[in-house]
Amino acid sequence: MGGPRPAGAKPEDVVTRARVDAAFAAQPRTRFLPEGARYAADVDAPLQIGYGQTNSQPRTVHDMLMLLDVRRGMRVLDVGAGSGWTTALLAELTGPDGSVLGTEIVPELVEFGARNVAGAGAPWARLVAAVPDSLGAPDEAPFDRILVSAMAHGLPRALVEQLSPGGVMVVPVDGTMLRVVRGFPPREDVADAEVTEHGSYRFVPLLGG
């Protein structure tokens, strides 16, 4: 995933890219795929993991993690964690002083993903079943960062509310990748969040809530 520094890249972007690249190296995609899909782990494409869900394209995951800019020690929520790969990548970025909670709504994938995360060598990360009829993990909020790996229809306000002041969420909405930054008091209202667009993407639908 690495490469030469892009023209005009900020020094902090170069540092973030190096950290994301290191996370990819530490948590190879192969181990988070069903056996029948592991032969294609190096293919830069989404791969089926069963039950209508996919393991996202590596380039897309890399782009999202760059936008999310996870720092060490942060509390991170991973919505639509699936096979647990993104949860493990986020754990590499937070380090042991942070924590990562992955949620998955498909019951058959919860066990698979939780087992994968448990074997990732990052005990500060876990993957659990999503709360029925709810988005995210409101009982464990606030979070410094939220990653959403499924397509929402409209900005999920319930997730913005789970961000701490200054927190960041990256979420695909109606085909466009959004970066959402919650404001600090007195402008922490969801309606005051700063939203920027970062290209077109395709994902499976966001379920729940």
Side-chain angles (χ1 to χ4, degrees), residues 61-105:
V61 174
H62 195 277
D63 289 347
M64 294 176 79
L65 294 181
M66 287 290 295
L67 288 171
L68 199 61
D69 188 24
V70 177
R71 310 291 178 88
R72 293 198 173 278
M74 284 185 165
R75 299 185 73 246
V76 182
L77 174 65
D78 185 19
V79 178
S83 68
W85 185 39
T86 50
T87 306
L89 291 170
L90 290 165
E92 291 293 329
L93 294 170
T94 68
D97 292 332
S99 65
V100 182
L101 173 63
T103 63
E104 174 54 49
I105 199 168

Side-chain angles (χ1 to χ4, degrees), residues 27 29-34 38 49-51 53-55 78 80-89 91 100-122 125-130:
Q27 298 291 347
R29 186 190 196 192
T30 307
R31 199 175 61 76
F32 296 87
L33 296 171
R38 290 179 180 176
I49 56 174
Y51 313 99
Q53 304 301 303
T54 62
N55 179 278
D78 185 19
S83 68
W85 185 39
T86 50
T87 306
L89 291 170
V100 182
L101 173 63
T103 63
E104 174 54 49
I105 199 168
V106 179
E108 294 84 355
L109 288 178
V110 173
E111 181 180 352
F112 177 60
R115 186 168 62 248
N116 291 337
V117 171
R126 70 191 200 278
L127 191 154
V128 301

